[in-house]
Amino acid sequence: MAFKLASSPHLSTKAQTRGLMFKVMLCALPGVLAQCYFFGWGTLIQIALAIAIAVATEAAVLKLRARPVGKTISDNSAALTGLLIGVAIPALAPWWIAAIGVVFAILVVKQLYGGLGNNIFNPAMAAYVMLLISFPVQMTTWVAPSGAALNDIGLMQSLSIIFQGADAEQILAYRAGIDGVTMATPLDAVKTGLSTGLTLDEILTKASFSDGFGIGWAAINLAYLAGGLVMLKLKLIRWQISTAILASLFVCASIGYLLSPDTHMGPLMHLFSGATMLAAFFIATDPVTAATSTRGRLIFGALIGLLVYLIRSFGGYPDAFAFAVLLANLCAPFIDYYVKPRAYGHRASR
Amino acid sequence: MSNYRDIAWQGLWKNNPGLVQLLGLCPLLAVTATLTNAIGLGLATLVVLVGSNVLVSLVREFVPKEIRIPVFVMIIAALVTCVQLLINAYAYGLYLSLGIFLPLIVTNCVIIGRAEAFASRNSVVKAAFDGLMMGLGFTLVLMLLGACREVLGQGTLFDGADLLLGDWAKGLTVHLWQVDTNFLLAMLPPGAFIAMGFLIAVKNMIDKQLEARKPAPEAAPAVTRARITKVS
């Protein structure tokens, strides 16, 4: 067995926030591209809009707070928040949805608490929850994914719908599936289906589930999963949170599915629909608002998985990652306090 | 006279029950979704506050110290019942929209706080004036918060003013802009908390500016001589 020896100088590059955030954004690219493929130009427009407003708001607030503007802006954290919000809101939502959400995220959730590193809540998710509570109609109006959609939307059309608004009929036309019936997101369809007394098998016979998981959403989740694995490989994030989320969601969903397969979604469907992969790899792993100890991260992730399962299955909203992440953010300092390793020599019991 | 000016300054600004003492937050946050509700509840609180301060000040000599709190609470509860019956009789719509928060004025800490801290130690006239100023300060904060939330939430002002003032007030409703969808956050309690935070921040900012504008007290001229023989 040979020990590898490296001679001096032992140079190493220092990881900086700026590069880290930029790499995270790059890793989100496959997911973003998949989303663009299925939901059209709207996604890209929303992302561009959200990033622009995020950077502008951050600059304005920093100026007000008399902090160095250029240096802080270039850490890319505002841009990442913008990207996450742009991805999370429906592709054809009116422009002011993105604007209000991003300003709330940067101004209230992040800068009022003291800027990057001091915020308690994940800015993107807090903004998403705010938007979802304030504008439930706009925030749940997803267009039909391409491949299942009746009408395709071009770039100019997307622009005009986002910036000038569209009447209800137009929106309805873009939400129509091949069979002409308005399509909901898979999680939404399951939730409404179950509430009207259908069994899961009956719901899954609808056109939007022709590939078993809901057209588009499974592929988008796979793309985010790929990006997430790259992040793990590059050591941009630690494995504990993501793994714990997916494992706990899988276990909870399996138990529910085994107990009552007619009224509960299967575990794979939980993992590959909605925002699961995006949230597990890109949102919950935010180093500022997540738990920071190793065991703490595991508990933090498991808590998110459990909450997501509970809210998706028994709550009022079809998807639950934003709520789960915020609730877990609240618990993070508490979790870290109790899993602190005992200093050597102290008594075992506290 | 400067004493009364001080009481007014304390109630309206320096020791404002809403912005500084943060008393009575429950009605402050719950019913300020519209300006009309805010005015209604503010006025009801104002009347109760003045009445309770006067009564408490009148009986302050005869109430043993040990049982003063129950006595104060009964006085306040009696007044609140009167106000509640009056509103029920003359502004039924407002009565319905204020709901449980009208009888809950009994538990508003501003009222018991002023009774205990001020009225039980001061003469009737002073106590009445203090009640008026504290009540006004509270009402103004309620109105400001209500106006902000109503404008942000549904783009109107004085929506439903007829509930408070009668049918002629329907014309008072001002539509600032037309919104297709209400901004629900501003109308829900979390929005009230956020707006309240911003109001307090604005007040602190104004205080700071006033402080900065005030000329600094002149420092005593520094004596640089090594030996002082004669100071004029």
Side-chain angles (χ1 to χ4, degrees), chain B residues 159-176:
Chain B
D159 184 33
D162 48 311
L163 298 181
L164 180 64
L165 301 170
D167 274 338
W168 64 270
K170 270 192 179 140
L172 273 182
T173 308
V174 187
H175 284 276
L176 292 180

Side-chain angles (χ1 to χ4, degrees), chain A residues 96 112 130 133-135 138, chain B residues 181-185 188 198:
Chain A
W96 45 264
L112 282 191
M130 189 275 282
I133 289 173
S134 300
F135 309 106
Q138 286 85 348
Chain B
T181 45
N182 290 342
F183 186 24
L184 284 179
L185 180 78
L188 293 171
F198 275 108

Side-chain angles (χ1 to χ4, degrees), chain B residues 34-56:
Chain B
T34 66
L35 187 54
T36 313
N37 279 1
I39 295 178
L41 192 85
L43 289 182
T45 312
L46 176 72
V47 171
V48 174
L49 193 49
V50 174
S52 76
N53 263 13
V54 168
L55 288 179
V56 166

Side-chain angles (χ1 to χ4, degrees), chain A:
Chain A
M1 183 175 174
F3 289 106
K4 196 178 162 193
L5 291 176
S7 63
S8 64
H10 304 285
L11 290 178
S12 62
T13 52
K14 207 170 144 203
Q16 295 199 322
T17 316
R18 172 181 190 169
L20 182 97
M21 298 282 178
F22 189 68
K23 281 182 204 156
V24 170
M25 284 199 274
L26 282 186
C27 291
L29 257 189
V32 171
L33 289 180
Q35 231 173 313
C36 290
Y37 174 75
F38 286 107
F39 296 111
W41 291 98
T43 315
L44 273 189
I45 301 171
Q46 299 286 5
I47 293 173
L49 185 68
I51 292 182
I53 300 174
V55 173
T57 315
E58 175 115 322
V61 181
L62 287 171
K63 188 126 185 132
L64 276 180
R65 294 181 61 206
R67 298 291 162 101
V69 176
K71 191 163 159 262
T72 315
I73 286 288
S74 65
D75 72 9
N76 286 331
S77 65
L80 182 59
T81 301
L83 174 77
L84 291 178
I85 295 177
V87 165
I89 59 184
L92 289 186
W95 63 272
W96 45 264
I97 290 273
I100 292 178
V102 170
V103 169
F104 182 81
I106 300 290
L107 181 78
V108 177
V109 186
K110 189 172 162 197
Q111 291 293 344
L112 282 191
Y113 284 89
L116 182 68
N118 295 314
N119 45 319
I120 306 171
F121 296 108
N122 187 318
M125 285 303 99
Y128 181 81
V129 164
M130 189 275 282
L131 289 173
L132 188 62
I133 289 173
S134 300
F135 309 106
V137 177
Q138 286 85 348
M139 286 300 285
T140 48
T141 311
W142 286 86
V143 293
S146 82
L150 193 62
N151 305 300
D152 272 331
I153 320 158
L155 173 62
M156 295 321 284
Q157 268 168 308
S158 317
L159 277 173
S160 87
I161 289 178
I162 291 174
F163 287 99
Q164 294 174 349
D167 46 32
E169 252 172 65
Q170 231 175 329
I171 291 284
L172 218 55
Y174 291 126
R175 294 188 67 192
I178 311 167
D179 47 4
V181 179
T182 304
M183 290 190 57
T185 61
L187 287 174
D188 223 351
V190 171
K191 184 125 224 156
T192 23
L194 288 179
S195 71
T196 51
L198 297 174
T199 63
L200 193 67
D201 286 339
E202 287 167 344
I203 298 167
L204 293 186
T205 56
K206 288 184 181 168
S208 54
F209 290 102
S210 58
D211 67 347
F213 289 118
I215 295 172
W217 290 91
I220 292 172
N221 271 292
L222 275 176
Y224 279 121
L225 173 63
L229 292 178
V230 173
M231 288 212 294
L232 280 180
K233 179 74 189 157
L234 294 178
K235 297 196 174 152
L236 298 178
I237 54 172
R238 304 278 294 272
W239 61 270
Q240 285 93 348
I241 294 180
S242 313
T243 315
I245 291 177
L246 298 180
S248 117
L249 184 57
F250 185 85
V251 170
C252 293
S254 304
I255 295 173
Y257 189 66
L258 288 178
L259 287 180
S260 166
D262 275 349
T263 55
H264 283 81
M265 284 189 295
L268 282 179
M269 200 158 166
H270 266 291
L271 289 188
F272 288 100
S273 59
T276 308
M277 293 298 168
L278 171 70
F281 286 99
F282 292 89
I283 292 171
T285 51
D286 172 20
V288 177
T289 52
T292 48
S293 52
T294 308
R295 272 191 295 168
R297 285 194 177 109
L298 287 172
I299 298 173
F300 180 85
L303 180 67
I304 293 182
L306 173 69
L307 284 171
V308 166
Y309 172 72
L310 288 179
I311 302 178
R312 271 185 186 176
S313 307
F314 307 104
Y317 285 93
D319 205 352
F321 262 100
F323 296 104
V325 168
L326 288 188
L327 287 171
N329 283 164
L330 270 181
C331 304
F334 178 74
I335 294 172
D336 275 338
Y337 177 82
Y338 277 102
V339 298
K340 222 169 16 184
R342 194 162 40 84
Y344 181 71
H346 283 252
R347 293 231 185 89
S349 61
R350 212 187 274 272

